[in-house]
Amino acid sequence: MKREYKLGLVLLLSIVVLTACSVGSGDERGGEKEVNLLFNFATHSLDPNVDSSYVPLRAGVTETLVRLNDEKLEIEPWLAESWDSEDGKEWTIQLRDGVTFHNGKPMDGKAVKASLERAMNDNVAIKNALRIESIEVDGNTLHIKTKGYFPEFPSELVSPYTSIIDVTETDFVNRPIGTGPFAVTSFTPGSVVKLKRYDDYWDGPAKLKSAQFSFNEDANARSLALESGSADIVFRPEVESVPHLEELEGITVESTSTFRVHQLTMNLQRKALQDVNVRKAVDALLDRQSIVDTILHGHAEVAEGPFMPSFSFAPDYSKKERGPEAARTYLKKAGYTEKNGVMQKDGKPLRFTLLTYGSRADLPLIAQVFQSDAKKLGIQVEIRQIEIPEEYMAANRDWDLTTYSNLTAPRGDAGYYLNATYHPDGALNFSGADDDKLTALLDELNVTVDPKERALLSEEIAQYVDQKVLNSFVLYPHTLVAYNADKVKNWVTTRSEYYMLTNELDVN
């Protein structure tokens, strides 16, 4: 689409897309400071224990006991002041004094216990991740016993799914009662969350009087919203619009490396993909550098595995043969031959159903590139658009591949991604991986404390995943955030992508 045409649509799109923002954004109206953040994932529920978009945490409504320090890649206290264990199984967690929920009730041990128990009851992934056997309360002190030796237990409390809420207030979908700097005033599913400052916030009241956390899954519309002034902060603007946005007076664009990887998730329950040579062929077909250059316009790095090379637990991978001829060789080893322009085996053509979703604008484009390259080898790829990938992949097995984006080390450790993705009980094990050797390695990692030993084990697991080609890793995308720097003050683009609307965020 030409820039002239885009500019002509600015006002129209802003009105249609962001009607919820008509109050205005980023200005001081009557002394009330307000900001509007436009996010790329829409949500239809603010229940922090199940919302896969993590909106309550990102919007400053809820908080967790422990948070991640993005710079140091270490966990640090948040609602919990401290935690300790002598045996890696029985934990003592001291809660911060003087914290209240948005309804004025105290956040004490009893409330936190109820919140964690509710999270585990409603989210099996959290139940499996926390592995809590029992919780006892003594005032503002929690005594938690885990199911077996679990030295990495505190890092699991970083998860947005463990956000602490007052469970006696039961409208979790529309108005969860958290402890953050902002309280929900209204929620329009799929459109906007309107927020107001919580004056009794334990870490000092927010500088903003109010805020809006809006949604639009169209990257072009997000860019235009910033350009028109309908939004002050835009998460993941259209990549092609970045040079133009950077030229606009007052607009700042930040491109920050994250803990995220774009991958091609493989359904190991599909017959064709149970052959490692077919998986190697799929992996070889991905022209990673071309995708980085043409689709991401350089705002990414080529991926070899799930973890960026800067992590201590990222292994050095052996060089692989890439390209269509390498893919053809692997398919030949799997018993496939190309006849009349169709790759087939025993008279049956090789076909893939490839899932993708539009809230990350680059993923459908990656799917199209793969479809085009596969076609040259006589492989038919049907692209199917879905809305919520986690829900669809977990509930359906009628697909072969999915373009998927995943945070791999949001807690500064490899254990989260490796367990969630490759352990049989993992919350993100959409591939259906169930490998005895791999599971044994993961179980060993889960009881290893020493950082160096954990890094070596993590390397070994990542190498094993690579050898088996259990998934295919495409690139490490940067987080792109554009904002009106003439208005917005103290914005921080975090690598974890967890912490957005804070009490320090301000406008001129």
Side-chain angles (χ1 to χ4, degrees), residues 94-237:
Q94 185 62 45
L95 301 177
R96 192 179 296 276
D97 291 326
V99 179
T100 57
F101 292 106
H102 297 150
N103 55 12
K105 295 180 181 179
M107 184 213 72
D108 54 17
K110 183 180 178 181
V112 171
K113 175 185 177 182
S115 182
L116 290 175
E117 289 178 341
R118 191 254 172 183
M120 290 186 290
N121 286 333
D122 285 30
N123 189 328
V124 67
I126 285 300
K127 181 179 180 180
N128 292 337
L130 296 181
R131 289 187 267 167
I132 291 177
E133 182 177 302
S134 63
I135 304 176
E136 301 295 331
V137 175
D138 180 12
N140 263 14
T141 303
L142 299 179
H143 299 284
I144 297 179
K145 181 181 294 185
T146 58
K147 298 175 182 178
Y149 182 60
F150 189 17
E152 291 305 306
F153 170 69
S155 68
E156 293 295 335
L157 297 173
V158 172
S159 170
Y161 289 133
T162 66
S163 290
I164 303 303
I165 57 174
D166 181 359
V167 300
T168 66
E169 302 272 5
T170 57
D171 191 5
F172 307 118
V173 170
N174 296 297
R175 192 169 294 188
I177 305 300
T179 61
F182 296 100
V184 177
T185 59
S186 68
F187 171 49
T188 304
S191 179
V192 62
V193 185
K194 293 190 176 184
L195 309 151
K196 67 177 180 180
R197 178 173 64 201
Y198 178 50
D199 291 332
D200 293 327
Y201 178 54
W202 64 269
D203 198 26
K207 292 179 169 58
L208 296 172
K209 180 69 174 179
S210 59
Q212 293 188 124
F213 199 99
S214 308
F215 314 106
N216 194 304
E217 296 188 352
D218 186 321
N220 179 46
R222 292 197 298 274
S223 297
L224 292 173
L226 179 66
E227 202 170 335
S228 70
S230 297
D232 304 310
I233 305 167
V234 170
F235 208 72
R236 297 194 183 93

Side-chain angles (χ1 to χ4, degrees), residues 9-85:
L9 289 176
V10 168
L11 183 58
L12 177 61
L13 280 173
S14 298
I15 292 172
V16 172
V17 170
L18 294 171
T19 54
C21 308
S22 59
V23 173
S25 62
D27 295 329
E28 291 188 56
R29 287 176 169 74
E32 295 189 1
K33 295 182 177 182
E34 181 181 75
V35 74
N36 179 46
L37 184 150
L38 185 55
F39 196 57
N40 61 310
F41 274 114
T43 187
H44 295 275
S45 170
L46 294 182
D47 185 341
N49 300 144
V50 297
D51 170 34
S52 60
S53 295
Y54 308 151
V55 169
L57 185 79
R58 287 167 164 160
V61 176
T62 64
E63 298 169 305
T64 51
L65 297 180
V66 178
R67 63 175 288 156
L68 179 71
N69 184 310
D70 273 7
E71 295 181 2
K72 298 179 181 180
L73 298 184
E74 297 174 352
I75 59 174
E76 61 185 18
W78 207 5
L79 292 180
E81 281 190 334
S82 64
W83 52 88
D84 183 55
S85 176

